Amino acid sequence: MATTDLEGRVALVTGARRGIGFAIATALLEHGASVVVGGREPAQFDDLQQRLEQVAPGRVYGCAADLTTETGRAALVGAAPQIDILVNNAGGFTDVVDTLTSTEDEWNQQLHLNLTVPFLLCQAVLPQMIDRKWGRIINIGSVVVAAPQLGNAIGYVAAKSGLVGFTKQLSAEVASHGVTANVINPGTIKTEHLGEYFEASGVTEESIASGIAVGRLGRPAEIAAAVPFLASEQGGFITGAVIDINGGAVSA
Ligand SMILES: NC(=O)c1ccc[n+]([C@@H]2O[C@H](COP(=O)([O-])OP(=O)(O)OC[C@H]3O[C@@H](n4cnc5c(N)ncnc54)[C@H](OP(=O)(O)O)[C@@H]3O)[C@@H](O)[C@H]2O)c1
């Protein structure tokens, strides 16, 4: 059997309706795990559940849930009997705002979704992981922490940078309990969201690709591929790591 066999494990993957999150949920199902997924709108959750059930019938749990609310987080965490693996993938930003133009509300919203929600979900699932002496936390950050560029939201970059520090500290706190915590920092990945961003910003795929050593954008599956390994038994010695998957977009 593959060393990434995750049979019997349950993974909560946030933001799984599309893009990188959908690819991660699919990869975990393909490696034998069950998944808990959400989505803010009930109809969108139903559609997501149906699509994932086609990959692995009977191994998809979840509910519609806004992760920025306590009730939403509690509903999602409670949707399966246990959570062994937490993938904090939900995130992003809507408006491009810099330090001069960002309002305090925008800053707070970006920090809340991209940093505070992952922290609160870790708090929610860690007690059961520690009880079972086994757990995996995988936080999805961004290449922006190492490669500042125009066209981001300042609070988003601050939050993703904070996610690295948070995850490293967390990894030290929980290592003796059999729980690992790591960050994957994706480069620019060709998702539906990115298409919307290109349309709104006027930035082109070609201009982004020209700054990437391999000469193209990444694919969601190329981020997702790392997750089953980090979540596996063989990934047990990897903790506090920042895993850059960016096609060589960042050079020293
Ligand atoms: N795409 C890239 O190039 C890229 C690069 C670096 C890092 N990343 C990071 O990778 C992750 C996924 O990116 P993506 O491009 O695949 O994103 P995406 O397509 O925009 O998906 C984001 C997901 O987050 C969910 N979400 C947002 N706010 C939420 C809330 N309040 N409650 C519950 N769910 C919420 C959305 O849920 P709904 O289903 O309800 O809409 C959506 O499924 C993000 O953390 C992003 O910052 C992406």
Side-chain angles (χ1 to χ4, degrees), residues 6 12 20 23 25 45 72 79 89 92 156-157 161 181-182 191 216:
L6 298 175
L12 168 53
I20 294 170
F45 167 71
N89 167 76
Y156 171 79
V157 179
S161 301
N182 294 290
T191 59
R216 65 168 174 83

Side-chain angles (χ1 to χ4, degrees), residues 71-96:
T71 47
R73 291 188 298 275
L76 205 52
V77 170
Q82 68 186 63
I83 306 289
D84 306 291
I85 301 158
L86 169 63
V87 184
N88 277 309
N89 167 76
F93 61 92
T94 42
D95 297 319
V96 172

Side-chain angles (χ1 to χ4, degrees), residues 13-26:
V13 183
T14 66
R17 182 172 65 85
R18 64 180 196 172
I20 294 170
F22 183 78
I24 291 172
T26 302

Side-chain angles (χ1 to χ4, degrees), residues 14-22 24 38-41 44-45 48 65-69 76 88-93 113-114 117 139-144 156 160 163 184-194 196 217-218 220 223 245:
T14 66
R17 182 172 65 85
R18 64 180 196 172
I20 294 170
F22 183 78
I24 291 172
R40 281 164 293 183
E41 299 297 328
Q44 289 178 337
F45 167 71
L48 169 62
D66 183 340
L67 293 169
T68 60
T69 69
L76 205 52
N88 277 309
N89 167 76
F93 61 92
L113 177 63
N114 292 287
V117 166
N139 291 329
I140 305 301
S142 173
V143 67
V144 297
Y156 171 79
K160 292 294 192 184
L163 197 60
I184 295 175
N185 278 344
T188 307
I189 307 302
K190 197 167 177 177
T191 59
E192 296 93 323
H193 166 75
L194 197 73
E196 293 160 5
L217 274 51
I223 304 303
I245 307 179

